[in-house]
Amino acid sequence: MRLIFLGPPGAGKGTQASLLLQRYGTVSLASGDILREALRRGDPIGRQAHQYMENGSLVPDEVITELILQRLETLGKEQSFVLDGFPRTEAQARALDVWLERRGHKRIDRVVDFDISEEKIVRRLAGRRICGGCGASYHTENLPPHREGFCNRCGGELRMREDDLPETIRKRLAVYHRQTEPLLKFYRNQGKLRVVPGDLEIESQYEALLQLLKAEQLV
Ligand code: AMP
């Protein structure tokens, strides 16, 4: 299965992608994680992207598209994957379609929109924490670490993402409405768009996602 997870920040895309990875081995390519990893390593592309990320705007299409397509290139043609956070503009979506077709890869099967209210987003993002060491994601209420403030996986210190501050969240939501929401129509026109409620608890959201994927005979 080849999926795209759409939906605003805080809708649960990353959490659901990691649950699919655990159960079905579906590789998750999360554009934000890939950029943060490049930044931690001090790669030029990470440094270039940082100025956009810290103020909540989008990294230029060419930069992120090249980065994601390079990663996709490393996957086998039959490998199941979830794209989490890419594409975020129509230009990125078109570039992805062209690339998949040229490489003889199968097309994207379904695009899942995680639909959630803004009020809930702001609450969710305020509790989100990431590990400074390995980038793993937690939530103070919904997905707390075993030891408060520290990563289960590597013991690194947990902190808020710099772009989860309230004023940056507002900017990211405005960017989402302006640049990413038009993709809903783009994929609806391709007959691929499906909706999963984004404001459910993690387990119920996962159930809803699995039901959908089963109904589509993708799992
Ligand atoms: P995320 O972790 O998905 O919320 O992404 C964090 C930040 O990385 C975004 O606010 C953007 O600055 C940048 N970013 C991630 N994915 C993309 C994308 N597909 N296009 C442009 N910028 C992106």
Side-chain angles (χ1 to χ4, degrees), residues 9 13 30-33 35-36 49 52-54 56-61 64 68 84-89 92 128 161 163 172:
K13 305 186 295 293
S31 49
D33 286 352
L35 288 169
R36 281 183 290 276
Y52 300 97
M53 296 168 76
E54 68 180 342
S57 54
L58 292 186
V59 171
D61 285 334
I64 188 72
I68 297 296
D84 161 13
F86 179 91
R88 256 181 163 92
T89 66
Q92 293 175 18
R128 181 156 75 176
R161 267 172 55 170
D163 58 351
R172 288 164 67 206

PDB file of all heavy atoms in Angstrom, residues 9 13 30-33 35-36 49 52-54 56-61 64 68 84-89 92 128 161 163 172, ligand 1:
ATOM      1  N   PRO A   9      -1.028  20.084  11.139  1.00  0.00           N
ATOM      2  CA  PRO A   9      -0.129  19.629  12.201  1.00  0.00           C
ATOM      3  C   PRO A   9      -0.956  19.232  13.410  1.00  0.00           C
ATOM      4  O   PRO A   9      -1.966  19.869  13.716  1.00  0.00           O
ATOM      5  CB  PRO A   9       0.716  20.872  12.517  1.00  0.00           C
ATOM      6  CG  PRO A   9       0.134  22.018  11.773  1.00  0.00           C
ATOM      7  CD  PRO A   9      -0.768  21.468  10.725  1.00  0.00           C
ATOM      8  N   LYS A  13      -0.933  12.278  12.269  1.00  0.00           N
ATOM      9  CA  LYS A  13      -0.352  11.589  11.102  1.00  0.00           C
ATOM     10  C   LYS A  13       0.858  10.742  11.489  1.00  0.00           C
ATOM     11  O   LYS A  13       0.954   9.571  11.135  1.00  0.00           O
ATOM     12  CB  LYS A  13       0.074  12.615  10.023  1.00  0.00           C
ATOM     13  CG  LYS A  13      -1.032  13.548   9.578  1.00  0.00           C
ATOM     14  CD  LYS A  13      -0.609  14.435   8.419  1.00  0.00           C
ATOM     15  CE  LYS A  13       0.500  15.428   8.719  1.00  0.00           C
ATOM     16  NZ  LYS A  13       0.114  16.494   9.666  1.00  0.00           N
ATOM     17  N   ALA A  30       8.552  10.749   6.828  1.00  0.00           N
ATOM     18  CA  ALA A  30       7.978  11.961   7.406  1.00  0.00           C
ATOM     19  C   ALA A  30       8.883  13.134   7.051  1.00  0.00           C
ATOM     20  O   ALA A  30      10.014  13.214   7.546  1.00  0.00           O
ATOM     21  CB  ALA A  30       7.849  11.808   8.915  1.00  0.00           C
ATOM     22  N   SER A  31       8.373  14.013   6.209  1.00  0.00           N
ATOM     23  CA  SER A  31       9.239  15.079   5.689  1.00  0.00           C
ATOM     24  C   SER A  31       9.802  15.956   6.809  1.00  0.00           C
ATOM     25  O   SER A  31      10.983  16.317   6.778  1.00  0.00           O
ATOM     26  CB  SER A  31       8.486  15.921   4.655  1.00  0.00           C
ATOM     27  OG  SER A  31       7.243  16.304   5.174  1.00  0.00           O
ATOM     28  N   GLY A  32       8.962  16.274   7.823  1.00  0.00           N
ATOM     29  CA  GLY A  32       9.447  17.114   8.921  1.00  0.00           C
ATOM     30  C   GLY A  32      10.563  16.414   9.687  1.00  0.00           C
ATOM     31  O   GLY A  32      11.577  17.029  10.038  1.00  0.00           O
ATOM     32  N   ASP A  33      10.401  15.105   9.952  1.00  0.00           N
ATOM     33  CA  ASP A  33      11.439  14.345  10.675  1.00  0.00           C
ATOM     34  C   ASP A  33      12.733  14.317   9.863  1.00  0.00           C
ATOM     35  O   ASP A  33      13.828  14.450  10.415  1.00  0.00           O
ATOM     36  CB  ASP A  33      10.999  12.890  10.896  1.00  0.00           C
ATOM     37  CG  ASP A  33       9.926  12.779  11.972  1.00  0.00           C
ATOM     38  OD1 ASP A  33       9.643  13.792  12.629  1.00  0.00           O
ATOM     39  OD2 ASP A  33       9.367  11.676  12.143  1.00  0.00           O
ATOM     40  N   LEU A  35      13.762  16.484   7.715  1.00  0.00           N
ATOM     41  CA  LEU A  35      14.399  17.808   7.769  1.00  0.00           C
ATOM     42  C   LEU A  35      15.067  18.044   9.130  1.00  0.00           C
ATOM     43  O   LEU A  35      16.186  18.554   9.204  1.00  0.00           O
ATOM     44  CB  LEU A  35      13.361  18.909   7.508  1.00  0.00           C
ATOM     45  CG  LEU A  35      12.861  19.030   6.068  1.00  0.00           C
ATOM     46  CD1 LEU A  35      11.658  19.970   5.991  1.00  0.00           C
ATOM     47  CD2 LEU A  35      13.968  19.528   5.138  1.00  0.00           C
ATOM     48  N   ARG A  36      14.364  17.660  10.219  1.00  0.00           N
ATOM     49  CA  ARG A  36      14.949  17.867  11.559  1.00  0.00           C
ATOM     50  C   ARG A  36      16.212  17.020  11.745  1.00  0.00           C
ATOM     51  O   ARG A  36      17.180  17.453  12.361  1.00  0.00           O
ATOM     52  CB  ARG A  36      13.917  17.558  12.655  1.00  0.00           C
ATOM     53  CG  ARG A  36      12.919  18.696  12.877  1.00  0.00           C
ATOM     54  CD  ARG A  36      11.956  18.411  14.017  1.00  0.00           C
ATOM     55  NE  ARG A  36      11.030  17.359  13.683  1.00  0.00           N
ATOM     56  CZ  ARG A  36       9.901  17.520  13.013  1.00  0.00           C
ATOM     57  NH1 ARG A  36       9.539  18.727  12.614  1.00  0.00           N
ATOM     58  NH2 ARG A  36       9.118  16.511  12.731  1.00  0.00           N
ATOM     59  N   ALA A  49      16.928  24.713   5.428  1.00  0.00           N
ATOM     60  CA  ALA A  49      15.500  24.559   5.747  1.00  0.00           C
ATOM     61  C   ALA A  49      15.128  25.217   7.073  1.00  0.00           C
ATOM     62  O   ALA A  49      13.991  25.615   7.282  1.00  0.00           O
ATOM     63  CB  ALA A  49      15.149  23.069   5.804  1.00  0.00           C
ATOM     64  N   TYR A  52      13.016  28.421   7.474  1.00  0.00           N
ATOM     65  CA  TYR A  52      11.592  28.300   7.145  1.00  0.00           C
ATOM     66  C   TYR A  52      10.854  27.571   8.258  1.00  0.00           C
ATOM     67  O   TYR A  52       9.770  27.949   8.667  1.00  0.00           O
ATOM     68  CB  TYR A  52      11.402  27.507   5.837  1.00  0.00           C
ATOM     69  CG  TYR A  52      12.078  28.147   4.660  1.00  0.00           C
ATOM     70  CD1 TYR A  52      13.340  27.739   4.238  1.00  0.00           C
ATOM     71  CD2 TYR A  52      11.448  29.179   3.965  1.00  0.00           C
ATOM     72  CE1 TYR A  52      13.969  28.333   3.160  1.00  0.00           C
ATOM     73  CE2 TYR A  52      12.065  29.782   2.873  1.00  0.00           C
ATOM     74  CZ  TYR A  52      13.330  29.357   2.478  1.00  0.00           C
ATOM     75  OH  TYR A  52      13.948  29.953   1.415  1.00  0.00           O
ATOM     76  N   MET A  53      11.487  26.493   8.755  1.00  0.00           N
ATOM     77  CA  MET A  53      10.820  25.665   9.758  1.00  0.00           C
ATOM     78  C   MET A  53      10.575  26.432  11.050  1.00  0.00           C
ATOM     79  O   MET A  53       9.527  26.322  11.668  1.00  0.00           O
ATOM     80  CB  MET A  53      11.664  24.427  10.058  1.00  0.00           C
ATOM     81  CG  MET A  53      11.797  23.525   8.854  1.00  0.00           C
ATOM     82  SD  MET A  53      13.058  22.288   9.102  1.00  0.00           S
ATOM     83  CE  MET A  53      12.219  21.157  10.196  1.00  0.00           C
ATOM     84  N   GLU A  54      11.563  27.213  11.474  1.00  0.00           N
ATOM     85  CA  GLU A  54      11.407  27.852  12.787  1.00  0.00           C
ATOM     86  C   GLU A  54      10.314  28.904  12.776  1.00  0.00           C
ATOM     87  O   GLU A  54       9.726  29.189  13.805  1.00  0.00           O
ATOM     88  CB  GLU A  54      12.737  28.416  13.316  1.00  0.00           C
ATOM     89  CG  GLU A  54      13.268  29.579  12.562  1.00  0.00           C
ATOM     90  CD  GLU A  54      14.588  30.085  13.141  1.00  0.00           C
ATOM     91  OE1 GLU A  54      14.892  29.752  14.295  1.00  0.00           O
ATOM     92  OE2 GLU A  54      15.297  30.811  12.430  1.00  0.00           O
ATOM     93  N   GLY A  56       7.597  28.588  10.812  1.00  0.00           N
ATOM     94  CA  GLY A  56       6.334  27.925  10.457  1.00  0.00           C
ATOM     95  C   GLY A  56       5.955  28.024   8.994  1.00  0.00           C
ATOM     96  O   GLY A  56       4.838  27.678   8.614  1.00  0.00           O
ATOM     97  N   SER A  57       6.875  28.494   8.124  1.00  0.00           N
ATOM     98  CA  SER A  57       6.524  28.518   6.699  1.00  0.00           C
ATOM     99  C   SER A  57       7.058  27.270   6.009  1.00  0.00           C
ATOM    100  O   SER A  57       7.783  26.476   6.616  1.00  0.00           O
ATOM    101  CB  SER A  57       7.039  29.796   6.034  1.00  0.00           C
ATOM    102  OG  SER A  57       8.408  29.939   6.271  1.00  0.00           O
ATOM    103  N   LEU A  58       6.717  27.106   4.745  1.00  0.00           N
ATOM    104  CA  LEU A  58       7.126  25.892   4.037  1.00  0.00           C
ATOM    105  C   LEU A  58       8.504  26.058   3.413  1.00  0.00           C
ATOM    106  O   LEU A  58       8.847  27.121   2.892  1.00  0.00           O
ATOM    107  CB  LEU A  58       6.119  25.555   2.927  1.00  0.00           C
ATOM    108  CG  LEU A  58       4.725  25.107   3.365  1.00  0.00           C
ATOM    109  CD1 LEU A  58       3.909  24.665   2.143  1.00  0.00           C
ATOM    110  CD2 LEU A  58       4.774  23.991   4.392  1.00  0.00           C
ATOM    111  N   VAL A  59       9.252  24.994   3.464  1.00  0.00           N
ATOM    112  CA  VAL A  59      10.552  24.916   2.793  1.00  0.00           C
ATOM    113  C   VAL A  59      10.261  24.924   1.282  1.00  0.00           C
ATOM    114  O   VAL A  59       9.234  24.392   0.851  1.00  0.00           O
ATOM    115  CB  VAL A  59      11.228  23.589   3.235  1.00  0.00           C
ATOM    116  CG1 VAL A  59      12.466  23.290   2.457  1.00  0.00           C
ATOM    117  CG2 VAL A  59      11.499  23.618   4.739  1.00  0.00           C
ATOM    118  N   PRO A  60      11.120  25.564   0.456  1.00  0.00           N
ATOM    119  CA  PRO A  60      10.821  25.628  -0.982  1.00  0.00           C
ATOM    120  C   PRO A  60      10.553  24.243  -1.592  1.00  0.00           C
ATOM    121  O   PRO A  60      11.189  23.256  -1.213  1.00  0.00           O
ATOM    122  CB  PRO A  60      12.092  26.256  -1.575  1.00  0.00           C
ATOM    123  CG  PRO A  60      12.696  27.023  -0.450  1.00  0.00           C
ATOM    124  CD  PRO A  60      12.354  26.275   0.794  1.00  0.00           C
ATOM    125  N   ASP A  61       9.613  24.218  -2.525  1.00  0.00           N
ATOM    126  CA  ASP A  61       9.189  22.956  -3.154  1.00  0.00           C
ATOM    127  C   ASP A  61      10.356  22.126  -3.672  1.00  0.00           C
ATOM    128  O   ASP A  61      10.404  20.912  -3.470  1.00  0.00           O
ATOM    129  CB  ASP A  61       8.243  23.253  -4.329  1.00  0.00           C
ATOM    130  CG  ASP A  61       6.845  23.656  -3.858  1.00  0.00           C
ATOM    131  OD1 ASP A  61       6.450  23.253  -2.749  1.00  0.00           O
ATOM    132  OD2 ASP A  61       6.160  24.373  -4.613  1.00  0.00           O
ATOM    133  N   ILE A  64      12.464  20.296  -0.773  1.00  0.00           N
ATOM    134  CA  ILE A  64      11.826  19.163  -0.087  1.00  0.00           C
ATOM    135  C   ILE A  64      11.504  18.043  -1.087  1.00  0.00           C
ATOM    136  O   ILE A  64      11.640  16.862  -0.769  1.00  0.00           O
ATOM    137  CB  ILE A  64      10.562  19.620   0.692  1.00  0.00           C
ATOM    138  CG1 ILE A  64      10.024  18.490   1.566  1.00  0.00           C
ATOM    139  CG2 ILE A  64       9.469  20.127  -0.197  1.00  0.00           C
ATOM    140  CD1 ILE A  64      10.873  18.200   2.751  1.00  0.00           C
ATOM    141  N   ILE A  68      12.737  14.130  -0.614  1.00  0.00           N
ATOM    142  CA  ILE A  68      11.801  13.004  -0.461  1.00  0.00           C
ATOM    143  C   ILE A  68      11.946  12.021  -1.617  1.00  0.00           C
ATOM    144  O   ILE A  68      11.950  10.796  -1.418  1.00  0.00           O
ATOM    145  CB  ILE A  68      10.340  13.517  -0.373  1.00  0.00           C
ATOM    146  CG1 ILE A  68      10.167  14.393   0.864  1.00  0.00           C
ATOM    147  CG2 ILE A  68       9.353  12.362  -0.353  1.00  0.00           C
ATOM    148  CD1 ILE A  68      10.367  13.693   2.185  1.00  0.00           C
ATOM    149  N   ASP A  84       4.209  11.128   5.128  1.00  0.00           N
ATOM    150  CA  ASP A  84       3.615  11.919   6.206  1.00  0.00           C
ATOM    151  C   ASP A  84       4.175  13.332   6.114  1.00  0.00           C
ATOM    152  O   ASP A  84       5.343  13.547   6.393  1.00  0.00           O
ATOM    153  CB  ASP A  84       3.969  11.223   7.538  1.00  0.00           C
ATOM    154  CG  ASP A  84       3.838  12.133   8.747  1.00  0.00           C
ATOM    155  OD1 ASP A  84       3.257  13.219   8.625  1.00  0.00           O
ATOM    156  OD2 ASP A  84       4.326  11.733   9.820  1.00  0.00           O
ATOM    157  N   GLY A  85       3.333  14.262   5.667  1.00  0.00           N
ATOM    158  CA  GLY A  85       3.789  15.663   5.580  1.00  0.00           C
ATOM    159  C   GLY A  85       4.310  16.047   4.202  1.00  0.00           C
ATOM    160  O   GLY A  85       4.744  17.171   3.997  1.00  0.00           O
ATOM    161  N   PHE A  86       4.278  15.138   3.285  1.00  0.00           N
ATOM    162  CA  PHE A  86       4.639  15.404   1.891  1.00  0.00           C
ATOM    163  C   PHE A  86       3.655  14.645   1.011  1.00  0.00           C
ATOM    164  O   PHE A  86       3.399  13.468   1.301  1.00  0.00           O
ATOM    165  CB  PHE A  86       6.061  14.922   1.587  1.00  0.00           C
ATOM    166  CG  PHE A  86       6.469  15.146   0.140  1.00  0.00           C
ATOM    167  CD1 PHE A  86       7.099  16.326  -0.234  1.00  0.00           C
ATOM    168  CD2 PHE A  86       6.192  14.201  -0.832  1.00  0.00           C
ATOM    169  CE1 PHE A  86       7.459  16.550  -1.554  1.00  0.00           C
ATOM    170  CE2 PHE A  86       6.547  14.429  -2.159  1.00  0.00           C
ATOM    171  CZ  PHE A  86       7.187  15.596  -2.510  1.00  0.00           C
ATOM    172  N   PRO A  87       3.118  15.220  -0.032  1.00  0.00           N
ATOM    173  CA  PRO A  87       3.274  16.608  -0.482  1.00  0.00           C
ATOM    174  C   PRO A  87       2.456  17.577   0.374  1.00  0.00           C
ATOM    175  O   PRO A  87       1.488  17.196   0.994  1.00  0.00           O
ATOM    176  CB  PRO A  87       2.738  16.556  -1.912  1.00  0.00           C
ATOM    177  CG  PRO A  87       1.751  15.435  -1.917  1.00  0.00           C
ATOM    178  CD  PRO A  87       2.238  14.442  -0.929  1.00  0.00           C
ATOM    179  N   ARG A  88       2.888  18.831   0.338  1.00  0.00           N
ATOM    180  CA  ARG A  88       2.158  19.867   1.072  1.00  0.00           C
ATOM    181  C   ARG A  88       1.711  20.995   0.134  1.00  0.00           C
ATOM    182  O   ARG A  88       1.083  21.940   0.597  1.00  0.00           O
ATOM    183  CB  ARG A  88       3.075  20.462   2.144  1.00  0.00           C
ATOM    184  CG  ARG A  88       2.781  19.983   3.578  1.00  0.00           C
ATOM    185  CD  ARG A  88       3.763  20.708   4.439  1.00  0.00           C
ATOM    186  NE  ARG A  88       3.567  20.787   5.832  1.00  0.00           N
ATOM    187  CZ  ARG A  88       4.051  19.923   6.720  1.00  0.00           C
ATOM    188  NH1 ARG A  88       4.624  18.816   6.340  1.00  0.00           N
ATOM    189  NH2 ARG A  88       3.933  20.175   8.002  1.00  0.00           N
ATOM    190  N   THR A  89       2.073  20.900  -1.121  1.00  0.00           N
ATOM    191  CA  THR A  89       1.597  21.880  -2.113  1.00  0.00           C
ATOM    192  C   THR A  89       1.243  21.101  -3.381  1.00  0.00           C
ATOM    193  O   THR A  89       1.673  19.951  -3.556  1.00  0.00           O
ATOM    194  CB  THR A  89       2.687  22.911  -2.496  1.00  0.00           C
ATOM    195  OG1 THR A  89       3.746  22.206  -3.179  1.00  0.00           O
ATOM    196  CG2 THR A  89       3.263  23.636  -1.303  1.00  0.00           C
ATOM    197  N   GLN A  92       4.270  20.039  -5.359  1.00  0.00           N
ATOM    198  CA  GLN A  92       4.918  18.821  -4.835  1.00  0.00           C
ATOM    199  C   GLN A  92       4.119  17.587  -5.254  1.00  0.00           C
ATOM    200  O   GLN A  92       4.696  16.557  -5.630  1.00  0.00           O
ATOM    201  CB  GLN A  92       5.009  18.886  -3.306  1.00  0.00           C
ATOM    202  CG  GLN A  92       5.941  19.968  -2.782  1.00  0.00           C
ATOM    203  CD  GLN A  92       5.921  20.081  -1.256  1.00  0.00           C
ATOM    204  OE1 GLN A  92       5.486  19.177  -0.547  1.00  0.00           O
ATOM    205  NE2 GLN A  92       6.401  21.207  -0.745  1.00  0.00           N
ATOM    206  N   ARG A 128       2.877  18.232  22.918  1.00  0.00           N
ATOM    207  CA  ARG A 128       3.799  17.392  22.147  1.00  0.00           C
ATOM    208  C   ARG A 128       5.248  17.630  22.581  1.00  0.00           C
ATOM    209  O   ARG A 128       5.663  18.759  22.812  1.00  0.00           O
ATOM    210  CB  ARG A 128       3.647  17.709  20.653  1.00  0.00           C
ATOM    211  CG  ARG A 128       4.555  16.870  19.794  1.00  0.00           C
ATOM    212  CD  ARG A 128       4.036  16.752  18.412  1.00  0.00           C
ATOM    213  NE  ARG A 128       4.222  17.973  17.608  1.00  0.00           N
ATOM    214  CZ  ARG A 128       3.882  18.029  16.322  1.00  0.00           C
ATOM    215  NH1 ARG A 128       3.336  16.995  15.722  1.00  0.00           N
ATOM    216  NH2 ARG A 128       4.066  19.142  15.648  1.00  0.00           N
ATOM    217  N   ARG A 161       8.928  21.197  20.460  1.00  0.00           N
ATOM    218  CA  ARG A 161       9.458  21.625  19.162  1.00  0.00           C
ATOM    219  C   ARG A 161       9.381  23.139  19.099  1.00  0.00           C
ATOM    220  O   ARG A 161       8.403  23.728  19.554  1.00  0.00           O
ATOM    221  CB  ARG A 161       8.602  21.023  18.046  1.00  0.00           C
ATOM    222  CG  ARG A 161       9.130  19.712  17.548  1.00  0.00           C
ATOM    223  CD  ARG A 161       8.171  19.050  16.607  1.00  0.00           C
ATOM    224  NE  ARG A 161       7.795  19.898  15.472  1.00  0.00           N
ATOM    225  CZ  ARG A 161       7.103  19.439  14.427  1.00  0.00           C
ATOM    226  NH1 ARG A 161       6.732  18.183  14.365  1.00  0.00           N
ATOM    227  NH2 ARG A 161       6.784  20.228  13.424  1.00  0.00           N
ATOM    228  N   ASP A 163       8.731  24.970  16.756  1.00  0.00           N
ATOM    229  CA  ASP A 163       7.602  25.471  15.962  1.00  0.00           C
ATOM    230  C   ASP A 163       6.248  25.082  16.559  1.00  0.00           C
ATOM    231  O   ASP A 163       5.217  25.260  15.934  1.00  0.00           O
ATOM    232  CB  ASP A 163       7.714  25.037  14.491  1.00  0.00           C
ATOM    233  CG  ASP A 163       7.775  23.531  14.300  1.00  0.00           C
ATOM    234  OD1 ASP A 163       7.898  22.797  15.301  1.00  0.00           O
ATOM    235  OD2 ASP A 163       7.686  23.086  13.141  1.00  0.00           O
ATOM    236  N   ARG A 172       1.503  28.179  11.166  1.00  0.00           N
ATOM    237  CA  ARG A 172       1.503  26.895  10.446  1.00  0.00           C
ATOM    238  C   ARG A 172       0.095  26.517   9.995  1.00  0.00           C
ATOM    239  O   ARG A 172      -0.088  25.950   8.928  1.00  0.00           O
ATOM    240  CB  ARG A 172       2.103  25.798  11.335  1.00  0.00           C
ATOM    241  CG  ARG A 172       3.608  25.962  11.491  1.00  0.00           C
ATOM    242  CD  ARG A 172       4.143  25.162  12.635  1.00  0.00           C
ATOM    243  NE  ARG A 172       4.039  23.728  12.426  1.00  0.00           N
ATOM    244  CZ  ARG A 172       3.970  22.837  13.414  1.00  0.00           C
ATOM    245  NH1 ARG A 172       3.967  23.238  14.670  1.00  0.00           N
ATOM    246  NH2 ARG A 172       3.900  21.576  13.123  1.00  0.00           N
TER     247      ARG A 172
HETATM  248  P1  AMP B   1       6.115  18.728  10.240  1.00  0.00           P
HETATM  249  O1  AMP B   1       6.983  17.986  11.187  1.00  0.00           O
HETATM  250  O2  AMP B   1       5.520  17.840   9.177  1.00  0.00           O
HETATM  251  O3  AMP B   1       5.071  19.563  10.941  1.00  0.00           O
HETATM  252  O4  AMP B   1       7.074  19.743   9.455  1.00  0.00           O
HETATM  253  C1  AMP B   1       7.809  20.732  10.137  1.00  0.00           C
HETATM  254  C2  AMP B   1       8.237  21.824   9.176  1.00  0.00           C
HETATM  255  O5  AMP B   1       9.084  21.260   8.152  1.00  0.00           O
HETATM  256  C3  AMP B   1       7.124  22.500   8.413  1.00  0.00           C
HETATM  257  O6  AMP B   1       6.498  23.539   9.159  1.00  0.00           O
HETATM  258  C4  AMP B   1       7.878  23.028   7.196  1.00  0.00           C
HETATM  259  O7  AMP B   1       8.648  24.180   7.513  1.00  0.00           O
HETATM  260  C5  AMP B   1       8.850  21.897   6.903  1.00  0.00           C
HETATM  261  N1  AMP B   1       8.239  20.907   5.972  1.00  0.00           N
HETATM  262  C6  AMP B   1       7.921  19.613   6.241  1.00  0.00           C
HETATM  263  N2  AMP B   1       7.383  19.019   5.170  1.00  0.00           N
HETATM  264  C7  AMP B   1       7.348  19.955   4.189  1.00  0.00           C
HETATM  265  C8  AMP B   1       6.867  19.963   2.851  1.00  0.00           C
HETATM  266  N3  AMP B   1       6.328  18.866   2.275  1.00  0.00           N
HETATM  267  N4  AMP B   1       7.003  21.099   2.141  1.00  0.00           N
HETATM  268  C9  AMP B   1       7.565  22.207   2.679  1.00  0.00           C
HETATM  269  N5  AMP B   1       8.000  22.281   3.940  1.00  0.00           N
HETATM  270  C10 AMP B   1       7.902  21.162   4.703  1.00  0.00           C
END
